[in-house]
Amino acid sequence: EPLTVETIPGPDPSRALEKLSPVIETVRRVRTSLASDKTLIGFCGSPWTVATYMIGGRGSPDQAAARLFALRQPAAFARLIDILVEASIAYLGAQFRAGADVVQLFESWALNLDEVAFRDWVIEPNRRIVEGLRQAIPDAPVIGFPRGAAGNLPAYAARTGVNLLGLDFATPLAFAGNLPPGIGVQGNLDPLRLLAGGEQMEVRTRAIVAAFRDRPHIFNLGHGILPETPIAPVERLIEVARGAP
């Protein structure tokens, strides 16, 4: 049945949590098994990214199906975003209550949007999630990761209320100087540099650590680790990031 305002139901966070209860139980078990000095990061897909999969049925290079739907049926798309915002607040709150120390909003498909679309479909829904989550979990620490946001990063950092900003590997290190003072960053080694390993990986890792030394920084990849990555370069990466020669 085609998506319209009439065919999209209202928000039902309790149903979402029922479907996601195995994930919450996993978070609880992982927290129990971790040492107290280890941080557990929870996460969820952000509304725009989840909507692109719901509407397009799969990932795509340009998210054209979702973009066209949002432009042609703005009322229906707004209703869909409302559902995803409410479900995300409930989901992340449940992760905190299960033992997560911090959560991350993954906006993996934030690229290919003009500044107006980015404001309406990325910044505003993420802002609402952060605000709603902190009503339930006061001072909840949140990382926002709008992959491919490029020049929209400063606005995202300033308006969403996230504590830390994830940077994809295409973001120049010096660009962090455009971000609001004090906001932390996470990232941003190219996963292919890790896969290749060797001296080039170590040089780039040290450059990243040095570039972000003046602000809070969680060293990480600039997107997910590739499944074929060997263990040896991962172990070396951790050593180098921690300051090993």
Side-chain angles (χ1 to χ4, degrees):
E1 186 176 9
L3 286 176
T4 64
V5 173
E6 291 74 21
T7 61
I8 299 176
D12 188 357
S14 61
R15 184 179 180 188
L17 287 184
E18 181 181 346
K19 294 284 187 181
L20 294 166
S21 59
V23 178
I24 304 304
E25 178 60 24
T26 299
V27 173
R28 185 176 293 108
R29 293 186 182 188
V30 171
R31 177 71 274 174
T32 301
S33 66
L34 283 178
S36 59
D37 63 343
K38 303 299 181 185
T39 299
L40 178 60
I41 303 179
F43 75 94
C44 78
S46 287
W48 164 251
T49 291
V50 175
T52 67
Y53 288 111
M54 294 175 72
I55 295 169
R58 68 189 70 179
S60 73
D62 57 6
Q63 300 81 51
R67 289 161 62 198
L68 284 171
F69 181 88
L71 293 169
R72 290 169 172 167
Q73 300 193 56
F77 188 73
R79 187 174 178 88
L80 178 59
I81 290 294
D82 287 344
I83 293 170
L84 294 172
V85 165
E86 294 301 320
S88 298
I89 292 170
Y91 181 39
L92 293 174
Q95 290 188 47
F96 271 116
R97 286 186 284 272
D101 299 293
V102 58
V103 295
Q104 179 163 335
L105 290 164
F106 273 86
E107 198 71 272
S108 295
W109 292 110
L111 68 169
N112 297 322
L113 297 175
D114 63 37
E115 60 187 302
V116 175
F118 188 90
R119 179 196 66 201
D120 295 344
W121 304 339
V122 174
I123 291 178
E124 181 58 16
N126 279 261
R127 183 199 65 77
R128 290 169 58 194
I129 290 173
V130 173
E131 182 182 86
L133 180 60
R134 288 180 180 153
Q135 289 176 0
I137 312 290
D139 302 318
V142 181
I143 303 167
F145 180 38
R147 184 172 73 95
N152 289 307
L153 278 170
Y156 180 97
R159 298 175 190 170
T160 58
V162 297
N163 304 92
L164 210 76
L165 187 66
L167 303 178
D168 60 67
F169 54 84
T171 303
L173 301 183
F175 189 80
N178 298 304
L179 301 177
I183 190 169
V185 294
Q186 175 178 278
N188 65 337
L189 185 73
D190 184 344
L192 285 176
R193 286 189 178 274
L194 175 58
L195 177 61
E199 183 179 1
Q200 60 79 28
M201 178 195 75
E202 298 184 17
V203 169
R204 183 60 177 174
T205 297
R206 293 189 177 97
I208 292 170
V209 172
F212 300 141
R213 206 178 295 279
D214 62 344
R215 64 173 67 236
H217 176 216
I218 299 175
F219 183 86
N220 204 342
L221 301 181
H223 204 236
I225 189 169
L226 298 169
E228 62 269 30
T229 305
I231 293 298
V234 176
E235 293 174 335
R236 181 56 184 159
L237 173 65
I238 293 171
E239 293 175 349
V240 174
R242 289 176 172 173

